[in-house]
Every structure is written in structure tokens, then in C-alpha cells.
Amino acid sequence: MTRANSRKYAPQSGDRAERSRLAEIFGLMRRLNEAAIGDPTIGATSHDPVGLRDLLTMAALEVSHAAGGQRYHWVELGPEPTKTCHMLERLARLGVAPASYTAVDINPESAETMRAGVSRILPDALVRPLTVDYDTIGAADLALDAAPMVITHLGFQEGNDTPANTRARLMRLTRPGDLVLSEMQVVADGALGGIGAFYALPEMRRFSELTARSVTRATLADYAHFVVPVDLAESPPVLAAVCAHEVDRDARGRADRTQADEAPLPAWVLTNVCIKLSDRQFRRIREEGGHFEVLWQGLTGDRTIAIQLSRRL
């Protein structure tokens, strides 16, 4: 049994329990990013000291260069305040803060937190939360004027869909001249330890549990995460991290005996699938089709996280 990504973050009802679940999911992602930004050694090695925080600072500088002194608008898909505020603060110090900030999120529990965080950097009147599924809108819904937009796709979100679907989404949400800033957990030389360590974190385990409980009321047993090949006609093959919760065997047995007229309980609830590219694949997939040009791509010192800035042609 699985659940579409959009349904993990969208309210299924208006009750307090559902709002609490969505608020906790948003909080879990925020906690992960606070830990990553708060520790300068995350992503760094003794041979290459560039950590994730350094990489985000570098990304902000690249955005300022690409903007070239023009007015621009910052649009965040699936917002989270820690990384965003880190970069916006750097841009403000450089004197090139965006003319506006728009947070696009299907989860309504993020809106006030994003407004509060970004309003410390930009005037409140320039902050615009949009509670909407970004797969249902286009560039005309985001653009405030003719100034270019910087569309950000951070937090490994791009891995939640196929490259073809991501390309179509970014084509729909951008106009020629707009920039896309995206983050990807990457695989370097077949090393998978970083991926396993990330999905073993308590926050990811809890996220998986919350997702599973939105699908089934059955008692959950073990949490598991795997890295598996995915057939996307790529060489080397594309990998994906898969997270799942096993449904308790005793619960399945009781359901089989007492609920013969209902669908049987699943053996596993699949809670997350996230594609992991190599840094070379990440660049090539963005430029495939000739609609985007990669302006810059940086890596953490341990070669596990890439941030990429591209321009729509």
C-alpha cells in the first residue's frame, strides 16, 4: 500500500488530529534542516571542508551573480524556513534581497511559520504564502510582474518524482529567464552510507510512521529503508531510497479472521520513495531537452549533497 506524495502533506480532513499530523511533519523537516545548518561539519570532510551550510552560502552568492543586479522574486516550492532564511539573509547582506517571497505549499500548517521567519528579513508586505498544490498551477499564478523568478526546489524534493515529471513541472512553473535552485542527495562512486544514515534518523522514522498511520489504522511493526535500482533508462542506473513500515503480522491475522468482507490489510505500507542521482546525472537531466542551462552546481565536501542553479532558456 502506498500514498501519493501530495496526499502526505495535504489535509485529508479539517479535524484537530489531522492538523496536528501535518504540523508535526512540517516540524520534523524543519528540525532536520536546523541540525544540518547548525553544524558546520555536516557534509564536510577533513580533505574538503565544504559543509551544507557553506554550500547554501555559495548558492546564495551564485543567485546574486545570476540576477545581475535585476529585480527578482523568490518562489519556494515546499517551503521550510531554515535553509531559506540562511540564503535570504546572505542576499540581504549583499544588497540584493528579492523583491518578494512566495511560499507554495499544499500543507497549510507551514504558512504562518514561513511568514514569521521570512518577515525578519523582508517586509511582511512582500511575503506571500500560497496554500496550493504546485502541480495544479503555472507560472502565471506565481509571477507578480515581468521580473524574473528564482524557483527553489530544496530538501531533496526533486527526488520524489521522475526526472520527466520534474522537467514538465519546472517547464510549467517557469518562463524564459527564470532561475531554478534545486537540491539533490547524490550518489558518489557507489557509496550509499550517507543515504542509509539519513533515512535512519529518528525524524525520518517518525515521518514514515505518520505517513503510514494516515493510510492504515493497523498496528505497525518494523520500519525499514532500502536503496534499490530504478529503471529510468539511465547509465549508470538510477537509485532510489525506499522507506516502509511493516504491518504487524498478528493484526493482519486478526483482520483476515474477522473482516472477511473487507480488503485484507497490507503486509507493508510504502511511505517514501526518493530518487538519488549522481552529480553528473543531476546536471545532464536538467539540461536534457534543451530547455534549461546549468549555470552552477556545487557539492558538499563528502560528495553527498548537490545544489544546482539553472536558467530557463
Side-chain angles (χ1 to χ4, degrees):
M1 180 178 287
T2 64
R3 166 145 288 186
N5 274 302
S6 60
R7 297 196 67 194
K8 295 177 190 176
Y9 308 106
Q12 304 303 307
S13 67
D15 63 26
R16 183 178 299 177
E18 180 65 4
R19 291 193 62 183
S20 176
R21 182 183 74 88
L22 293 173
E24 185 175 357
I25 286 175
F26 181 73
L28 289 169
M29 300 302 108
R30 183 178 185 178
R31 192 187 311 162
L32 285 170
N33 286 319
E34 286 174 342
I37 298 299
D39 183 352
T41 68
I42 296 291
T45 69
S46 58
H47 300 292
D48 188 339
V50 175
L52 177 58
R53 187 168 72 185
D54 300 318
L55 192 60
L56 289 165
T57 301
M58 293 163 61
L61 185 61
E62 293 296 332
V63 168
S64 73
H65 291 161
Q70 297 184 77
R71 288 177 70 255
Y72 67 96
H73 301 284
W74 192 280
V75 178
E76 184 171 11
L77 308 180
E80 188 285 323
T82 311
K83 293 176 181 175
T84 299
C85 290
H86 178 86
M87 287 189 286
L88 292 180
E89 285 171 351
R90 269 65 189 168
L91 289 164
R93 291 177 190 173
L94 293 168
V96 288
S100 72
Y101 169 83
T102 300
V104 184
D105 200 351
I106 200 171
N107 183 350
E109 300 304 314
S110 71
E112 290 309 310
T113 300
M114 294 309 304
R115 181 181 290 280
V118 176
S119 293
R120 294 187 292 103
I121 306 163
L122 301 178
D124 185 71
L126 301 182
V127 180
R128 179 177 63 145
L130 291 181
T131 302
V132 65
D133 181 351
Y134 53 63
D135 279 333
T136 65
I137 60 175
D141 301 296
L142 299 175
L144 295 175
D145 53 36
M149 296 185 290
V150 178
I151 306 286
T152 73
H153 211 218
L154 303 175
F156 310 157
Q157 290 185 78
E158 186 160 339
N160 290 335
D161 213 334
T162 65
N165 287 346
T166 297
R167 186 180 307 113
R169 176 182 303 118
L170 294 177
M171 287 285 293
R172 191 182 67 253
L173 294 174
T174 58
R175 308 157 301 176
D178 289 338
L179 302 171
V180 175
L181 187 67
S182 189
E183 179 184 16
M184 173 69 68
Q185 188 175 31
V186 293
V187 179
D189 301 322
L192 305 178
I195 296 174
F198 176 74
Y199 287 98
L201 290 170
E203 291 85 356
M204 293 307 298
R205 183 185 185 107
R206 177 61 176 162
F207 169 74
S208 180
E209 181 183 0
L210 288 168
T211 300
R213 292 196 183 286
S214 72
V215 175
T216 179
R217 295 182 180 180
T219 303
L220 300 176
D222 292 337
Y223 165 68
H225 51 89
F226 317 91
V227 177
V228 298
V230 180
D231 185 10
L232 294 178
E234 288 289 326
S235 180
V238 170
L239 300 176
V242 177
C243 302
H245 260 88
E246 187 178 14
V247 174
D248 182 80
R249 290 181 176 83
D250 291 340
R252 296 206 307 269
R254 288 193 298 272
D256 290 344
R257 290 192 299 271
T258 62
Q259 301 176 9
D261 295 333
E262 299 181 16
L265 289 176
W268 289 86
V269 180
L270 187 64
T271 56
N272 193 28
V273 177
C274 192
I275 290 171
K276 310 298 178 183
L277 304 173
S278 70
D279 65 310
R280 186 174 298 178
Q281 286 172 328
F282 190 26
R283 177 184 291 270
R284 184 169 54 76
I285 282 172
R286 178 67 77 244
E287 293 187 331
E288 197 169 75
H291 301 294
F292 292 90
E293 173 193 14
V294 174
L295 304 178
W296 169 81
Q297 186 165 303
L299 287 167
T300 52
D302 64 3
R303 304 299 190 263
T304 62
I305 299 174
I307 296 181
Q308 178 194 90
L309 181 66
S310 61
R311 190 191 307 276
R312 169 77 185 275
L313 299 175

